């Protein structure tokens, strides 16, 4: 019991001594032992490393998961050491909607088939995004988080202890200066040697930990390379998926926007598109228009104001009374009419006459 009381009294005295020393330093009434320049630089570097690591982590998390509510939910599950519920990402949700709508329109229709193919590609991109997030979390974010929650916390602990040892050292120096009696000076000198030794030892421990930040930088550099490689793989996959999709959609005519416009202006209630097999595909609008016009000689036909025979490539149901329905492989006569949209020509089949889309035609010599 007496031992505990004495120990508590000693601890209280030590705490009071440190508090007095700290207060007098702030008031400029006591000297303060400065750390050597090298140690100060190491402390500044460690603090900068901590701040930038936190900032990079935060922005990376925002990049990988832009939704703050989802990030908060994942954080809570992580703290509870539970697995977050699996949910579809935005690409997968879009892909699912496209596939379902394509099934509703019918996979045998051009639009329905195209939606299904686009939806499947969006889901592939969603899967690639999921792999990117997983890889980045393991190889990039986790090492950064381990530094903040492990190594840097150890550095903070030892740096705080170094501050305590420094206060003890300066308090001992102050007591030595104030000692007048021989016995008091001898005790103060012994205390100074002891506190100096403890301070030097703690400074060395802190220095070694701070120099380890260089190894942390080297490790984070490897993690950064892994993150770049993961992004490279992700964007390469996305690019390849879209290139493959574009190839699949590269042989079908694109006049849906024109048909819709005609349907609205003509008051028609619905629009039909040619049926194709599931393996058929649709191109980009600009590519389909430019290649068809260039290869078929439609520009020459417009400039000559004459007429030519053309073979129909696909079935086409007229969207309004101003258009002419077509059957695949039939031959009709087409001509250009001044003021008509460049994607359309005037078609004639016997006594029937009406607008026809040029992307459904192949001019004959």
């Amino acid at each position: 019991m007496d031992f505990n009381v004495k120990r508590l009294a000693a601890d209280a005295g030590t705490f009071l001594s440190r508090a007095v020393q700290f207060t007098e330093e702030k008031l400029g009434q006591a000297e303060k032992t400065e750390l050597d320049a090298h140690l100060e630089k190491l402390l500044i570097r460690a603090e900068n490393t901590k701040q930038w690591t936190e900032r990079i982590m935060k922005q990376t998390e925002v990049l990988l998961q832009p939704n703050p509510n989802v990030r908060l939910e994942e954080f809570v599950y992580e703290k509870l050491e539970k697995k977050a519920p699996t949910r579809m990402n935005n690409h997968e949700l879009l892909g699912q909607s496209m596939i379902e709508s394509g099934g509703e329109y019918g996979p045998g229709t051009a639009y329905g088939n195209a939606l299904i193919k686009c939806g499947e590609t969006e889901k592939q991109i969603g899967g690639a995004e999921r792999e990117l997030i997983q890889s980045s979390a393991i190889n990039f974010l986790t090492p950064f988080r381990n530094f903040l929650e492990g190594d840097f916390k150890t550095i903070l602990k030892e740096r705080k202890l170094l501050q305590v040892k420094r206060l003890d050292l300066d308090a001992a120096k102050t007591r030595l200066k104030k000692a007048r009696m021989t016995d008091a000076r001898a005790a103060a000198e012994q205390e100074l040697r002891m506190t100096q030794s403890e301070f030097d030892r703690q400074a060395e421990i802190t220095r070694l930990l701070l120099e380890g930040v260089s190894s942390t930088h080297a490790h984070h550099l490897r993690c950064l390379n892994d993150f770049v490689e993961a992004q490279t793989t992700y964007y390469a996959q996305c690019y390849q998926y879209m290139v493959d999709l574009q190839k699949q959609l590269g042989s079908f005519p694109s006049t849906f926007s024109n048909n819709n416009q005609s349907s609205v202006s003509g008051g028609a209630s619905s629009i039909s598109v040619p049926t194709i097999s599931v393996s058929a595909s649709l191109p980009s609008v600009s590519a389909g228009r430019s290649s068809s016009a260039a290869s078929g000689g439609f520009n020459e036909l417009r400039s000559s104001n004459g007429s030519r025979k053309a073979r129909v490539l696909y079935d086409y149901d007229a969207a309004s009374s101003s258009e002419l329905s077509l059957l695949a492989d039939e031959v009709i006569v087409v001509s250009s009419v001044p003021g008509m949209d460049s994607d359309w020509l005037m078609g004639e089949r016997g006594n029937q006459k009406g607008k026809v889309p040029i992307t459904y035609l192949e001019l004959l010599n």
Side-chain angles (χ1 to χ4, degrees), residues 53 57 78 137-138 140-154 216 219-220:
T53 300
M57 270 191 59
E78 181 181 349
I138 295 173
F140 188 63
L141 292 177
T142 297
F144 275 45
R145 186 175 292 108
N146 289 342
F147 166 72
L148 294 173
E149 298 179 354
D151 294 350
F152 191 75
K153 283 189 175 180
T154 302
T216 298
H219 180 49
H220 286 182

Side-chain angles (χ1 to χ4, degrees), residues 112-152:
N113 181 43
L115 281 170
I116 291 173
K117 290 185 179 299
C118 290
E120 291 170 347
T121 300
E122 289 295 338
K123 296 190 78 169
Q124 285 181 309
I125 293 175
E129 180 181 303
R130 199 176 294 277
E131 293 176 1
L132 169 65
I133 293 174
Q134 182 179 8
S135 174
S136 300
I138 295 173
N139 299 322
F140 188 63
L141 292 177
T142 297
F144 275 45
R145 186 175 292 108
N146 289 342
F147 166 72
L148 294 173
E149 298 179 354
D151 294 350
F152 191 75

Side-chain angles (χ1 to χ4, degrees), residues 168-360:
D168 289 343
L169 173 61
D170 289 336
K173 290 179 179 179
T174 300
R175 282 192 289 273
L176 178 59
K177 288 181 179 180
K178 294 179 180 180
R180 295 291 181 265
M181 303 299 293
T182 303
D183 292 344
R185 287 189 63 82
E189 288 174 353
Q190 183 179 359
E191 181 187 13
L192 178 60
R193 286 193 295 270
M194 182 183 67
T195 54
Q196 182 71 58
S197 175
E198 291 180 353
F199 172 77
D200 292 340
R201 177 176 177 276
Q202 185 58 37
E204 180 65 16
I205 293 173
T206 306
R207 181 184 64 80
L208 291 174
L209 286 172
L210 292 171
E211 288 178 345
V213 173
S214 296
S215 299
T216 298
H217 287 180
H219 180 49
H220 286 182
L221 175 58
R222 292 192 295 272
C223 296
L224 183 61
N225 286 328
D226 291 339
F227 182 50
V228 171
E229 182 178 352
Q231 289 188 91
T232 302
T233 300
Y234 168 68
Y235 290 117
Q237 286 178 321
C238 293
Y239 173 76
Q240 189 59 52
Y241 291 149
M242 297 310 296
V243 168
D244 293 342
L245 176 62
Q246 194 174 42
K247 289 179 180 178
Q248 292 179 43
L249 306 182
S251 61
F252 191 81
S254 54
T255 57
F256 303 117
S257 60
N258 293 327
N259 292 343
N260 287 333
Q261 293 171 4
S262 299
S263 176
V264 172
S265 62
S269 60
S270 64
I271 176 172
S272 299
V273 294
T275 58
I276 58 174
S277 64
V278 176
S279 60
S281 52
L282 286 167
S284 65
V285 175
S286 60
R289 291 174 178 172
S290 60
S291 60
S292 298
S295 60
F298 291 104
N299 290 333
E300 291 83 348
L301 177 60
R302 293 191 191 93
S303 61
S304 65
N305 291 325
S307 62
R308 288 181 60 177
K309 290 184 178 181
R311 185 174 66 87
V312 178
L313 299 175
Y314 313 97
D315 290 348
Y316 177 74
D317 292 333
S320 69
S321 59
S322 63
E323 299 178 10
L324 179 67
S325 296
L326 303 173
L327 295 175
D329 293 326
E330 72 171 323
V331 176
I332 63 173
V333 176
V334 293
S335 59
S336 176
V337 176
M340 182 177 289
D341 190 292
S342 60
D343 291 325
W344 296 78
L345 291 172
M346 185 60 66
E348 295 183 41
R349 183 200 304 113
N351 296 328
Q352 297 178 325
K353 190 174 183 180
K355 295 194 303 181
V356 292
I358 64 173
T359 46
Y360 283 66

Side-chain angles (χ1 to χ4, degrees), residues 66-135:
N67 190 326
N69 294 327
V70 176
R71 290 202 306 273
L72 178 60
E73 181 184 77
E74 292 174 347
F75 174 78
V76 172
Y77 275 102
E78 181 181 349
K79 291 302 179 183
L80 296 175
E81 297 183 350
K82 293 184 178 181
K83 184 178 180 181
T86 302
R87 58 163 54 88
M88 290 194 292
N89 55 38
N90 291 332
H91 283 289
E92 291 170 331
L93 287 170
L94 174 60
Q96 187 65 30
S97 297
M98 286 182 167
I99 291 173
E100 291 176 358
S101 61
E104 183 71 21
Y105 289 124
T109 65
Y111 186 36
N113 181 43
L115 281 170
I116 291 173
K117 290 185 179 299
C118 290
E120 291 170 347
T121 300
E122 289 295 338
K123 296 190 78 169
Q124 285 181 309
I125 293 175
E129 180 181 303
R130 199 176 294 277
E131 293 176 1
L132 169 65
I133 293 174
Q134 182 179 8
S135 174

